[in-house]
């Protein structure tokens, strides 16, 4: 049996066999949504091969249960490329999600903004992304399935449903392009200007490898950024991880309303 099938079996034994309709990955400072799920929390440490999510602001557990009546699997923490140098650090968790029978994935993250109309506290729905990291989570994958088309990686149907949920809540949900930098250092002002010139609207250190892996695994996906700061050089505010964690709750309340409305629809 594959490792993901084994872990799926273990998770079913603890949380029940009903497949999750949605997987949700929670970004820095956005973990509290997991607490709203009625169900079973399984620490990553009980799931061999899951990341020992070592980034503060993340809660390393998988919560399977119901949110707004939908069966969901919520990943409270993610592994980032910058923690290990492995761009495929989230491959096993996403394989397990697929093995549980899930077909849809919603990713969230904290991001820096490149647009004055996206200030800290704003949300941005990813319309597309730029992989600016120089790596790819599918490097080393031997099968031809590695040649994943990325043309509609950010699923138009899921995006439309998230837009409808935001509109129903009376919340703006502008769309934009997210540029993946490897981190863990923040960008320089010159890198931020370069990202803007390339067509990016926000920058961050996650999500893109997960989108690539999700498409490889046949999951439909969409992602929302919570803007926690302006990109380096675009404001006088100092950029730090503490600042990210402190600012994330500003957007998290809006994100939760949109996700609840989306799931309940
Ligand atoms: N850059 C990269 N990642 C981030 C930022 C940023 O400015 N803010 C939050 N995550």
């Amino acid at each position: 049996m594959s490792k993901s099938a084994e872990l799926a079996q273990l998770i079913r034994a603890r949380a029940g066999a009903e497949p999750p309709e949605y997987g949700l990955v929670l970004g820095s400072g956005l973990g509290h949504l997991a607490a709203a799920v009625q169900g079973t929390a399984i620490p990553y440490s009980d799931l061999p091969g899951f990341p020992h999510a070592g980034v503060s602001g993340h809660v390393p557990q998988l919560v399977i249960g119901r949110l707004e009546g939908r069966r969901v699997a919520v990943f409270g923490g993610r592994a980032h490329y910058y923690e290990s140098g492995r761009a495929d650090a989230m491959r096993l968790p996403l394989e397990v999600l697929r093995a549980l029978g899930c077909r849809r994935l919603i990713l969230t993250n904290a991001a820096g903004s490149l647009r004055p109309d996206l200030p800290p506290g704003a949300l941005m729905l990813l319309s597309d992304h730029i992989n600016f990291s120089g790596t790819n989570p599918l490097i080393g994958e031997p099968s031809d399935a590695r040649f994943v088309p990325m043309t509609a990686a950010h699923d138009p149907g899921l995006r439309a449903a998230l837009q409808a949920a935001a509109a129903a809540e009376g919340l703006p949900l502008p769309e934009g392009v997210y540029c993946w930098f490897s981190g863990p250092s923040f960008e320089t002002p010159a890198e931020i200007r370069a990202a803007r010139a390339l067509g990016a609207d926000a920058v961050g250190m996650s999500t893109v490898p997960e989108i690539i892996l999700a498409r490889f695994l046949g999951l439909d996906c969409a992602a929302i950024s919570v803007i926690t700061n302006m990109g380096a050089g675009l404001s006088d505010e100092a950029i730090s991880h503490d600042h990210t964690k402190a600012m994330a709750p500003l957007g998290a309340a809006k994100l939760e309303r949109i996700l609840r409305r989306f799931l309940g629809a």
Side-chain angles (χ1 to χ4, degrees), residues 213-238:
L213 289 164
R215 294 308 302 137
F216 170 70
L217 295 168
L219 294 158
D220 291 337
C221 45
I224 297 180
S225 290
V226 171
I227 300 297
T228 55
N229 57 278
M230 298 309 291
L234 297 182
S235 97
D236 295 336
E237 212 156 27

Side-chain angles (χ1 to χ4, degrees), residues 110-112 186-187 203-205 228-229 239 244:
F186 284 102
E187 300 74 27
V203 292
M205 305 178 194
T228 55
N229 57 278
I239 297 172
T244 295

Side-chain angles (χ1 to χ4, degrees), residues 28 82 109-114 178-179 181 183-187 192 202-206 226-232 239-241 243-245:
S28 290
Y82 62 71
N109 61 51
S113 170
L114 309 188
Y178 174 97
C179 185
F181 280 83
S185 57
F186 284 102
E187 300 74 27
I192 290 296
V203 292
M205 305 178 194
S206 68
V226 171
I227 300 297
T228 55
N229 57 278
M230 298 309 291
I239 297 172
S240 71
H241 187 56
H243 183 260
T244 295
K245 286 187 292 182

Side-chain angles (χ1 to χ4, degrees), residues 114-237:
L114 309 188
R115 265 177 31 196
D117 64 316
L118 292 175
L123 303 180
M124 185 187 92
L125 176 62
L126 276 63
S127 57
D128 204 343
H129 70 242
I130 297 169
N131 178 355
F132 199 62
S133 71
T135 188
N136 190 294
L138 294 174
I139 289 174
E141 162 60 37
S143 74
D144 274 0
R146 63 189 163 187
F147 301 113
V148 181
M150 295 295 291
T151 314
H154 299 261
D155 187 72
L158 286 178
R159 280 162 54 201
L162 286 163
Q163 285 292 5
E169 287 293 324
L171 292 169
L173 187 58
E175 298 202 1
V177 173
Y178 174 97
C179 185
W180 176 33
F181 280 83
S182 78
S185 57
F186 284 102
E187 300 74 27
T188 64
E191 285 165 347
I192 290 296
R193 287 194 298 275
R196 189 73 190 122
L198 288 174
D201 300 292
V203 292
M205 305 178 194
S206 68
T207 303
V208 168
E210 292 143 54
I211 299 264
I212 295 169
L213 289 164
R215 294 308 302 137
F216 170 70
L217 295 168
L219 294 158
D220 291 337
C221 45
I224 297 180
S225 290
V226 171
I227 300 297
T228 55
N229 57 278
M230 298 309 291
L234 297 182
S235 97
D236 295 336
E237 212 156 27

